Amino acid sequence: MIIIATVKVIEGPTITSTDPSSIQCRKHQLTCIDGEGYIERIVDESDDDFESVRQHAKQTDQLLTLRPDEYLLPGFIDLHVHAPQWPNAGVALDRPLNEWLDTYTFPLESKYQDVDFAKPVYDDLVKQLLANGTTTVLYFGTTHNPANLELAKACIRHNQRGFVGKVAMDNPDQTPEYYRDASASQAVEDTETFIKQMIELNKTTSLKQTPVITPRFVPSCTPESLKGLGELAWKYDLPVQSHCSESDWENGYALEHYHKRDAEVLDEFGLLTDKSVMAHGTLLNQTDLNRFKDRGVAIAHCPISNVYFGNAVLPVSKLLKQKVKVGLGTDISGGYSPSLYQNIRQAVMSSRMLHDGVNSELDPAQRGTANDPISAKNGFYLATVGGAESLHLRTGQIKPGYLADLQVVQAPMPSFNEETMDQIFEKIIYNASKDDVKQVFVQGRFAK
């Protein structure tokens, strides 16, 4: 039997999600991390050997004791980031989606054919996401493999777990000549090349980066490229990411050109699997949701971005009740903030507006919907457990046997009277900023 010794012990209060509606808070625990970067054991102050474990860790210089106002939380998992769009975060969000893509996004992404342009952008983006407590990210890259590799290398350099996709977009009717794959066969061939390059890169690091099959979305791809990418997903057993039913325009394109909803189109090409993550989904109907549940597909809920481009509010409580997998995404740059704390808050606000309704000219009985608003605890679940389940990762919880992907957060507001751990949790979720995230660990290693 192989025995992996404890190499780090974090002493302090812990807050972790246990299910979509519940959290577990402990005021004083020892979180023991082994040499492989997993949580080996959690020792509560009520356990008989608490003090002996603590003293041994202190004597061997393995003990990290949190300050009285600091709390240990799981690291966040961001299910949807367009890495090349980081320089445009917050730009032109008042434009329609198709105009925003053509005028601002595609010209920017085309610049990544220059690796020297890509390197500083990706280096800064990975650092910013880690600084906000995000330990794992599902990234869209560009069509350019050298730049995509630089993104993966930035993740390795800064100790972030990255899932990186070479974007496929070959449809000449919906993509500009200066920025598209030369053909369907080229899109598929370059994707397979990138997969092999990532496999080689992983031989040099213990923090593995995962290649992802990435058709941009149905309008950007031809049937031939969608078919080839579906075959690659099966051949290499890899995750798939795309957009699905994000806007009236995107939804309408599939109906007009395929006479089917985009979920059905993606499914027919083998792109909806239990390793697929589809972004947005604001316009998914019940047939689509049934398809997603049957296939095990996850939805990346991007609440800030959806305000600008989603044309509707994703009914998160409905998805949770139906046990459809769902996590959170920032959707940089359609979402302007790299903070999943900000996106949790927007998810809660959007759900309340969906429930209560927004048209004051309607009678209250007709104004809203039957979809229940979600809570901070629901949002915390999406950012941790929901994301982990979507990516088939054993992380997202402070629990033995789980990866030590963790963030140390300082209480962002002073306490003027006795507070419960639930109250402290809510104040963290609603008020924490990047400056309050004091330390970040990914697989047991310092990342901030």
Side-chain angles (χ1 to χ4, degrees), residues 422-436:
D422 267 25
Q423 290 171 325
I424 292 168
F425 161 77
E426 290 178 336
K427 289 172 74 171
I428 288 173
I429 294 298
Y430 283 117
N431 294 283
S433 68
K434 178 176 70 174
D435 292 341
D436 301 308

Side-chain angles (χ1 to χ4, degrees), residues 179-391:
Y179 182 51
R180 76 166 76 111
D181 292 301
S183 63
S185 60
Q186 192 67 56
V188 175
E189 180 182 331
D190 287 352
T191 298
E192 186 162 25
T193 297
F194 180 65
I195 293 168
K196 293 176 179 178
Q197 290 172 329
M198 288 283 279
I199 291 170
E200 285 299 309
L201 183 64
N202 278 334
K203 293 178 180 178
T204 66
T205 177
S206 59
L207 186 60
K208 306 304 181 188
Q209 308 297 306
T210 304
V212 184
I213 306 299
T214 309
R216 187 176 202 109
F217 58 177
V218 168
S220 292
C221 298
T222 62
E224 292 77 19
S225 64
L226 293 174
K227 179 177 182 293
L229 294 171
E231 290 169 351
L232 283 183
W234 177 85
K235 178 179 178 180
Y236 289 95
D237 190 26
L238 286 175
V240 177
Q241 62 178 342
S242 190
H243 304 77
C244 192
S245 295
E246 174 184 6
S247 65
D248 292 323
W249 169 72
E250 180 193 325
N251 203 45
Y253 181 91
L255 292 171
E256 179 182 351
H257 290 82
Y258 290 89
H259 308 293
K260 298 171 184 175
R261 296 181 60 79
D262 57 355
E264 186 177 357
V265 174
L266 292 166
D267 195 20
E268 289 184 351
F269 288 114
L271 293 163
L272 295 188
T273 74
D274 70 346
K275 290 188 174 183
S276 296
V277 178
M278 295 292 127
H280 306 293
T282 51
L283 298 175
L284 293 169
N285 63 22
Q286 189 57 55
T287 300
D288 299 328
L289 293 178
N290 293 342
R291 185 185 300 274
F292 275 32
K293 184 176 179 181
D294 290 344
R295 301 288 186 270
V297 176
I299 297 171
H301 178 33
C302 306
I304 291 178
S305 172
N306 288 347
V307 170
Y308 299 101
F309 299 127
N311 297 138
V313 175
L314 185 74
V316 175
S317 60
K318 177 181 177 180
L319 304 183
L320 293 175
K321 286 178 182 177
Q322 295 186 13
K323 300 191 183 305
V324 176
K325 290 190 296 188
V326 58
L328 274 186
T330 55
D331 191 26
I332 293 166
S333 68
Y336 56 80
S337 172
S339 168
L340 279 180
Y341 284 103
Q342 289 273 47
N343 278 274
I344 291 173
R345 294 163 201 158
Q346 184 61 55
V348 174
M349 288 188 286
S350 292
S351 74
R352 187 163 293 279
M353 295 172 78
L354 177 64
H355 174 75
D356 292 345
V358 296
N359 187 350
S360 63
E361 296 180 1
L362 296 177
D363 183 89
Q366 280 78 48
R367 193 180 302 150
T369 72
N371 296 292
D372 294 330
I374 66 171
S375 67
K377 291 177 181 178
N378 298 139
F380 184 52
Y381 170 88
L382 298 183
T384 55
V385 180
E389 290 181 347
S390 298
L391 294 177

Side-chain angles (χ1 to χ4, degrees), residues 129-198:
L129 288 165
L130 282 165
N132 280 280
T134 300
T135 51
T136 298
V137 183
L138 180 55
Y139 286 111
F140 273 61
T142 62
T143 62
H144 317 102
N145 280 348
N148 297 331
L149 282 172
E150 287 302 323
L151 175 56
K153 290 175 182 177
C155 291
I156 293 169
R157 190 162 55 248
H158 296 294
N159 287 329
Q160 186 181 71
R161 185 179 299 102
F163 287 69
V164 181
K166 177 259 183 261
V167 171
M169 41 188 287
D170 68 310
N171 184 359
D173 294 333
Q174 291 295 326
T175 54
E177 186 175 1
Y178 63 83
Y179 182 51
R180 76 166 76 111
D181 292 301
S183 63
S185 60
Q186 192 67 56
V188 175
E189 180 182 331
D190 287 352
T191 298
E192 186 162 25
T193 297
F194 180 65
I195 293 168
K196 293 176 179 178
Q197 290 172 329
M198 288 283 279

